[in-house]
Amino acid sequence: MSIWRYANPTQFMATTGWMLPLFGVSAAAFVATGLIWGFFFTPDDFRQGSTVKIIYLHVPSALMAINAWLMMLVASLIWLVRRHHVSALAAKAAAPVGLVMTVIALLTGAIWGQPMWGTYWAWDPRLTSFLILFLFYLGYIALWQAIETQDTAADLTSILCLVGSVFALLSRYAVNFWNQGLHQGTSVPVATGGRTVSDVFFIPLAISMIGFGLLFVALVLLRTRTEIRARRLQALLAQSTAVE
Amino acid sequence: MDYAATNLACRRGDRTVLAGLSFSVAAGKALILRGANGSGKTTLLRCLAGLTPPVAGSLSFAADDVAYAAHDNGLKAQLRVAETIEFWASIYGATDTAPAVDAFTLSPLMTRHVAALSAGQKRRLSLSRLLLTGRPLWALDEPTVSLDSATVTKFADAVRAHLAQGRAAIIATHIDLGLDAADVLDVSGFKPSVADAQDPFLDGAFT
Amino acid sequence: MIALLRRDLVLAVRAGGGFGLGLAFFLILCVLVPFGVGPEPALLGRIAPGVLWVGALLACLLSLDRIFQLDFEDGTLDLLATSPLPLEAVASVKAFAHWLTTGLPLVLAAAPLGLLLNLPGAAMPWLVAGLALGTPALSVIGTFGAALTVGLKRGGLLISLLVLPLYMPTLLFGAEAARRGAEGLSPTTPLLLMAGLTAGCIAVMPFATAAALRMNLR
């Protein structure tokens, strides 16, 4: 028996068929709760005023922009090692979602940066790394688009994802060395060990982050299902022409 | 030694082109591959040469035993004939290039640039590489393309000499080379069924 | 391996276009910059390290798609892949040949072009040292990009999109070393970091390149 047995789109379709609505509904609920709570039911910051409220969009999207790449990295590794087709397609499906998250993070950051720092853009390490992440997403998606043979495309994009991850990490620390920057440190308590943000702000932020996470999962599932259907269509067409 | 394939399945692109293919070539024998265009001769040869790993089945020999000659000549127009031969000789660690030059009567052409050769001469130069490899199993894809009948005879002699050393060859060709020790295998009989295709996207039913 | 290197160099010289093209592009770029930003010496001197580095990067990029494309089209790559030479060695040799024909001339041309752009004298040795240490990494990374796009008809444009983000750390360290040299600071830290980066690339990237080639030949 060959490696192909591990790839099981049928099983994936059956399982995600009932999971997708659950994720979709809960994502909508969490995102709506987090954003509405954050925008309308939290006090203004004493220094930043109401501009601080963009944090409920900015932080979750930035978080998911990075997590989407990490998910693609894991999925690429699974494809390279186990040749699991669904894994390759999931990586392909996640890329545009990650790209959009990166764009949201960059745009909301620019809108937030204008009143706070007096500029839409600064060559700050965090901002610059996100711009580089954006470029990596573009390259990854472009490579998928360019190659016709699906398995080869999966192979090559996986390798690109691995190499790109290493270089993205290198770039992240290289820019630190270059410019110390304006961006504040993280304000998520898990990452800092203590609390720098009061619960009033943090709870809606956490809800929004969970919501974006669920939204990401729902979108990736949906897109992966679409990709699997497209592949099945392709396979069926190839089969019907082969029979003639 | 026998060169055997058991229950081989090969892919080209996203499609399984051949399945359930088995053969065995004894030392000193040749196997002629036949089949219509697109039946998978090239795919099979690339698989034997180790360029495309088989989807299923096994081979009794390593890719390092195979000297592969493709449709394309793999020649550089800017190099001279002698330089081309020296290049491949040093890649394969061959010390004596004379047999390769003689077998395809290349000596009058040695100082010419590849760009100045005719199609048939290029083919001869390309095939001479086989003798430099020193590998026991030749896997040749339409080797006689653009050769005239005299050169085809020469080429058949080279194959015969190779087989006489107790070696083997697998050749995809449509013309009769006049080899005595040759079996014929028609690859068009090995079309994969849906089950053989091993395409996970065809398994089961979903919409 | 030496035979392959010699063949590639002979081809680069005889084929024409490949060899001097990157260098000529580098020259033109450096001549165009003063027209773009104005002839003021102080400004030119300040941006010269960046201009020279970006110029070197782009000049490198120009010849990348030739690394494997020609061998792929005429079938040589198939023959090399089935030869006793491991593809990792082929990848390394190809990158080295690319560096000899593109990177090395850029390093040598950087000093005179630096004068043209009014690069401060103190920065000059560090710029050249940076290029000498950094251009091998550019060739090795570029070879990987060339391997990814070898089967594609329109690979030339895609290769820049794939490779340029990977060039970022090298560019940053190289330009930083030259800038620190110009300001009289010690440029050793960025240079050492870059040397480490280049060594790492030379050690690891040929494996990724060979893997990408195998996938493309499949």
Side-chain angles (χ1 to χ4, degrees):
Chain A
M1 196 60 206
S2 80
I3 40 173
W4 300 97
R5 138 176 87 110
Y6 295 111
N8 198 338
T10 318
Q11 189 62 44
F12 182 85
M13 291 304 275
T15 316
T16 54
W18 59 265
M19 276 167 67
L20 183 59
L22 284 183
F23 274 106
V25 169
S26 50
F30 271 93
V31 170
T33 314
L35 291 186
I36 293 171
W37 186 348
F39 287 158
F40 300 110
F41 301 101
T42 54
D44 288 353
D45 185 78
F46 74 97
R47 269 183 301 153
Q48 304 193 9
S50 59
T51 53
V52 74
K53 291 185 172 178
I54 205 166
I55 196 174
Y56 303 109
L57 265 178
H58 179 70
V59 172
S61 59
L63 184 76
M64 289 328 293
I66 296 169
N67 284 353
W69 187 271
L70 289 179
M71 184 230 128
M72 281 157 57
L73 175 63
V74 173
S76 298
L77 277 172
I78 294 175
W79 163 252
L80 286 177
V81 177
R82 301 297 295 269
R83 314 293 290 176
H84 196 314
H85 280 78
V86 173
S87 179
L89 293 180
K92 182 185 185 184
V97 183
L99 180 75
V100 170
M101 293 289 181
T102 314
V103 172
I104 294 176
L106 283 170
L107 286 181
T108 53
I111 295 168
W112 195 5
Q114 217 299 318
M116 289 304 103
W117 304 335
T119 172
Y120 286 108
W121 181 259
W123 290 94
D124 158 278
R126 282 201 179 206
L127 275 67
T128 314
S129 344
F130 259 77
L131 199 58
I132 295 165
L133 186 63
F134 174 71
L135 295 177
F136 275 117
Y137 274 121
L138 280 187
Y140 180 89
I141 295 170
L143 189 60
W144 258 112
Q145 300 291 335
I147 304 168
E148 275 169 33
T149 310
Q150 293 293 307
D151 283 359
T152 311
D155 282 337
L156 293 172
T157 51
S158 298
I159 287 277
L160 178 69
C161 186
L162 292 188
V163 173
S165 302
V166 175
F167 276 86
L169 208 64
L170 278 174
S171 307
R172 175 70 188 87
Y173 290 99
V175 288
N176 256 348
F177 166 88
W178 165 58
N179 187 340
Q180 284 308 317
L182 295 163
H183 200 288
Q184 66 192 55
T186 177
S187 23
V188 179
V190 192
T192 52
R195 289 233 160 158
T196 53
V197 183
S198 84
D199 283 351
V200 184
F201 298 110
F202 182 65
I203 291 172
L205 179 60
I207 292 174
S208 188
M209 287 198 290
I210 294 169
F212 266 73
L214 292 169
L215 179 66
F216 173 72
V217 174
L219 287 174
V220 170
L221 287 182
L222 182 66
R223 292 184 55 87
T224 311
R225 286 169 62 85
T226 314
E227 293 289 346
I228 289 175
R229 287 198 181 107
R231 277 295 290 274
R232 178 167 170 85
L233 198 60
Q234 215 179 42
L236 287 170
L237 277 173
Q239 192 194 352
S240 69
T241 48
V243 168
E244 278 161 20
Chain B
M1 133 170 210
D2 279 10
Y3 301 93
T6 322
N7 210 13
L8 205 62
C10 307
R11 279 171 86 81
R12 179 173 192 83
D14 286 328
R15 271 187 25 172
T16 304
V17 183
L18 292 169
L21 190 146
S22 301
F23 64 77
S24 175
V25 191
K29 286 262 203 175
L31 182 69
I32 306 294
L33 300 181
R34 290 271 155 82
N37 292 336
S39 58
K41 299 187 294 292
T42 300
T43 306
L44 175 61
L45 288 169
R46 288 180 70 85
C47 184
L48 301 180
L51 288 167
T52 322
V55 181
S58 62
L59 298 168
S60 72
F61 50 93
D64 284 346
D65 295 332
V66 181
Y68 173 62
H71 253 284
D72 296 321
N73 286 326
L75 297 174
K76 291 292 173 192
Q78 295 88 356
L79 292 183
R80 289 172 201 282
V81 172
E83 287 169 334
T84 309
I85 292 176
E86 275 162 31
F87 168 66
W88 287 112
S90 56
I91 290 285
Y92 283 98
T95 44
D96 187 12
T97 58
V101 175
D102 293 342
F104 293 94
T105 41
L106 292 169
S107 41
L109 306 172
M110 290 302 269
T111 54
R112 284 221 233 160
H113 277 102
V114 171
L117 297 183
S118 73
Q121 288 167 332
K122 281 184 187 155
R123 197 73 200 156
R124 273 151 62 192
L125 175 58
S126 179
L127 290 171
S128 72
R129 187 182 54 88
L130 293 169
L131 289 163
L132 300 170
T133 62
R135 290 182 170 180
L137 179 62
W138 286 2
L140 315 180
D141 198 350
E142 300 289 354
T144 54
V145 168
S146 61
L147 292 183
D148 57 29
S149 57
T151 325
V152 169
T153 318
K154 268 247 169 229
F155 166 70
D157 288 343
V159 175
R160 256 182 236 112
H162 176 72
L163 298 181
Q165 291 169 20
R167 296 168 164 195
I170 298 174
I171 307 171
T173 181
H174 286 102
I175 63 162
D176 185 11
L177 290 171
L179 302 173
D180 318 321
D183 298 326
V184 174
L185 177 74
D186 191 338
V187 295
S188 47
F190 298 96
K191 284 244 182 309
S193 66
V194 176
D196 289 329
Q198 309 211 22
D199 190 327
F201 296 97
L202 290 176
D203 288 350
F206 60 84
T207 48
Chain C
M1 282 174 81
I2 293 166
L4 181 60
L5 179 65
R6 202 169 49 216
R7 187 203 70 141
D8 268 22
L9 294 179
V10 166
L11 285 177
V13 174
R14 285 195 198 156
F19 197 58
L21 205 64
L23 196 60
F25 176 80
F26 190 40
L27 174 74
I28 290 172
L29 198 91
C30 292
V31 172
L32 282 181
V33 166
F35 291 110
V37 301
E40 190 196 327
L43 175 65
L44 280 178
R46 226 157 52 79
I47 62 169
V51 170
L52 288 167
W53 261 99
V54 172
L57 227 69
L58 295 177
C60 232
L61 205 61
L62 210 58
S63 47
L64 283 181
D65 62 335
R66 298 171 64 101
I67 295 182
F68 292 117
Q69 195 66 37
L70 298 177
D71 279 349
F72 177 76
E73 280 165 6
D74 67 15
T76 311
L77 202 56
D78 280 344
L79 302 182
L80 283 174
T82 55
S83 79
L85 214 55
L87 270 178
E88 284 79 4
V90 173
S92 306
V93 169
K94 288 273 180 184
F96 186 51
H98 180 261
W99 182 74
L100 284 180
T101 52
T102 309
L104 190 60
L106 292 181
V107 175
L108 299 176
L113 288 176
L115 289 177
L116 209 61
L117 289 176
N118 198 36
L119 181 74
M124 197 73 83
W126 302 117
L127 176 85
V128 176
L131 279 171
L133 283 173
T135 43
L138 299 186
S139 289
V140 177
I141 297 169
T143 310
F144 169 66
L148 280 181
T149 54
V150 70
L152 302 175
K153 305 237 163 12
R154 301 162 287 116
L157 272 175
L158 186 59
I159 211 172
S160 0
L161 183 57
L162 298 179
V163 162
L164 282 177
L166 303 178
Y167 277 175
M168 219 226 57
T170 307
L171 169 66
L172 194 147
F173 290 138
E176 181 73 15
R179 202 176 312 118
R180 288 194 179 189
E183 289 166 9
L185 303 167
S186 162
T188 37
T189 319
L191 278 184
L192 282 177
L193 281 169
M194 181 149 76
L197 182 69
T198 304
C201 285
I202 292 174
V204 178
M205 290 304 275
F207 293 96
T209 309
L213 281 179
R214 270 189 205 105
M215 291 161 178
N216 257 322
L217 290 178
R218 225 172 248 168

